[in-house]
Amino acid sequence: MTLMKVSVKWIQGKKTLDDVDIDTAEDAEEFLSKLWSLTGVPMERQKVMIKGKSIKPGVDLSKLPLKSGAVLTLMGTSESLPEAPKERVKFIEDVEDEEQQVALMEGTPPGLLNLGNTCYMNSTLQTLKCVPEFVQAISNSTTVSEGDTQASLVKSARGVFQQLKGSSTVNPSVFLESLRQCYPQFAERGEGGHPMQQDAEECMTNILSTCKHVLQNESAMEVEGREMPNSIQDLFGVHVKSTLVAEEGNESEEKEDDVMKLTCHISAETSHLAMGIEEGLNEKIEKFSPAMGKEVIFSKSTKIDKLPKYLIVQFVRFFWRKDSQKKAKILKSIKFPKMLDTYNFATDDLKRALDIHRHAEIVELPDADASNPHPPMEDPRGLAIRYRALIEKHPDSGNVSEWRDAAEKYEKIAEQLAAGEHVPDTSSPLSGKYELCAVLTHQGRVADGGHYMAWTKQSREKWAKFDDDKVSFVDESEIEKLSGGGDWHMVSCRQHNFNFYLQLTDSHCQAYICLYRLPQVGLTRESHNAKRLKA
């Protein structure tokens, strides 16, 4: 039996914790994180002993003299624990909105505890959680973390995502510890020794970079001598081609690069996400010119040459103010679409590839029975019909092979869905169009303060709002209000473990990161019981 109950005598706290669960089959970090949540003593301050043996990260619990009823000693000072909420608890009977009542009865996804200004990390994890292929890649990782901080980060991420499959609030202390060991800047403390607020975009970039590196190494070890595909690069990687032309002289340069996100630059004229992306792809930079022997302004024009399955777009809202020597924030409202079309950002080669599938959107379909109309494009049957129509109208096209493959693919998906089978990939073809599936927002004026939240799509009309451990369902119409704009104002002040922050109304959340994905297909209600497609 690996699960047992022990007592923990906390010296500084002058009390004993009885009936604390400890599982000798789990990592020691899991038990230490439990003590953190019970006492407020961070893992780096804990010294846990049993009969002269120390329990610390990496220790094999099964080799310690542990048994039910054993008494452990904990030494270490705590930081402030969260205060009880000052607002009255709202029970389901108090909620007037009928849809909210249904949501509460059905249960919401689990949130993450704020461990002291860790909303940046929590919102990042909740955003990445809505990429099932990413979660699966982490879950399939076989990395051994001993002595490797990057491997430890991947392993702890696997643990968090596994816990988030449940229904209870998750304490991400093990992941936080791994993040800080791997990237010490996230362990910075401010006045009074309190953890400092960090940048969610920096957190996301570092997590993806680490996972990409670790998983690539695993693939290389599995098949030595062969270059293996990287799941993280395939999911998020954008391949771009740039042309740089000097404004002085005749110097020019061609470059190619792989990036994990697009950026939305914000100027006085920017009002829409597409405009900001265009500004980010076409900019002026200053760099050294060997021909001129000095720093020269170059005009840089960038086009996308390869698109991923998921597209991360960051709003460049923070900038450095020389006068105040601080990071400032652009509050300007930037509208972002539910469906983002990247066609105009593509190279000519990529546009030709996208056109193969964009033709299906405009093809003229054969007449249908009024009582049995053609299914829409978001239905796999509707997609298949359109590809068949393309083949019939353009039998000599060089795209017939791709159209036939697509028709067969979506006919099979329709059959599997109608039979109630699980289909791991229900993405529509790569046409350059992406649907919004998550928004990570920031409240406040500066990067070193404020509050981050995540909003992720749950169904066609329902989204989940993740405010650390507080999770609720919201209508899709609420997402449109996250474009920013206006000024902030304080509506309340509450404490998250160790630090105060100003809580703003949702209408003053500014979108900081948008996550888009290839549109998903599924059987519409009208076609759910339809007969099998005929070729």
Side-chain angles (χ1 to χ4, degrees), residues 267-284:
S267 66
E269 294 74 28
T270 311
S271 60
H272 193 276
L273 181 68
M275 294 175 62
I277 294 176
E278 186 72 33
E279 290 180 31
L281 293 175
N282 298 279
E283 57 182 339
K284 294 184 184 295

Side-chain angles (χ1 to χ4, degrees), residues 249-297:
N250 299 318
E251 189 175 356
S252 64
E253 181 182 354
E254 302 286 336
K255 293 181 62 177
E256 294 190 29
D257 197 10
D258 288 309
V259 298
M260 300 296 283
K261 65 178 181 181
L262 297 180
T263 55
C264 171
H265 287 212
I266 303 175
S267 66
E269 294 74 28
T270 311
S271 60
H272 193 276
L273 181 68
M275 294 175 62
I277 294 176
E278 186 72 33
E279 290 180 31
L281 293 175
N282 298 279
E283 57 182 339
K284 294 184 184 295
I285 62 172
E286 186 177 10
K287 67 189 241 25
F288 182 77
S289 167
M292 302 293 292
K294 63 177 183 178
E295 296 289 323
V296 174
I297 301 297

